[in-house]
Amino acid sequence: MISTLRLVLFSFSLLAAAPAIAQQQFINVLTGGTAGIYYPLGVALSQIYTKTIPEAKSTVQSTKASVENLNLLQAGRGEIAFTLGDALSDAWNGNEEAGFKTPLKKLRGIAAIYNNYVQIVASAESGIKSLADLKGKRVSVGAPKSGTELNARAIFKAAGLSYKDLGKVEYLPFGESVELIKNRQLDATLQSAGLGVASIRDLATAVKIVIVPIAPEVVAKVGDPAYQSAVIPAGTYEGQTQDVPTAAIANYLVTHEGVPTELVYKMTKAMFEHLDQMVAAHAAAKGIQLQNALKGMPVPLHPGAERFYKEKGLIK
């Protein structure tokens, strides 16, 4: 009789715990390499979620950035991800050359955030001063099929260059590229990131650098509205005494259709209410502004994000 009673009580306790277990939610934040900007911003975002959404367990995953992030979201292996706008458009349309075998139609938008700047940086001793000077040189173009590498292909093509014109092509993340330049094993690196990215700051303090200009007419030849002419202001990096023209591409935060509406609403709201914590993680977050959150979004908005923007009057 006692054992039967214990069994009944145990079963009841399991039933009582079931709702709590069911309510446990997960937020895996997909970022990029640790030397880039996605990662520190992702860490800050995860910390914000931990404080403001206590029913959810938040984690951060370092990845190869845009393309990998979007494929992971489509597979349901993440709840929110950072991505470049051109990669997001390629994913939605299923551009196989960009790394998407089929259209990723489960993707849903959360917010446009800050701009990435295509930053081509060479050691001064390499003699590289222009895009044409990259011919025959050793250049790192970012991790294979990353957003950075897609940017490299687009910019080089617009400038009349191909990878075959380069002396050697390395597909390396930001940190490794910088170390090779320091060791004189590489001449230049193309890095698509927010201004003041840690990797280039590190390089500029170690060796004299040259930031290679990308003229507005080259940007126009890319033929993609995601690419806009922009400027890397003088003083962004040590030894940089003049403004340098370049290309900028918007970054986005995205999710997928399987993430609950209420959770995405809370995620969107929490970020915009704690932007100071994002800026503290990296100055690039100063570019995250509510009024620009819907600008150029290449995929449908998630209903949770849409609810937040309706509350704020951005959507009627």
Side-chain angles (χ1 to χ4, degrees), residues 95-109:
N95 182 344
E96 190 167 354
E97 189 177 323
F100 307 104
K101 294 180 180 178
T102 58
L104 306 189
K105 296 300 184 182
K106 292 182 180 179
L107 299 178
R108 295 293 182 269

Side-chain angles (χ1 to χ4, degrees), residues 142-166:
K145 296 291 176 72
S146 63
T148 287
E149 203 253 316
L150 296 182
N151 291 169
R153 288 175 184 267
I155 293 296
F156 289 166
K157 183 178 180 181
L161 295 168
S162 72
Y163 286 173
K164 291 180 181 178
D165 294 318
L166 306 177

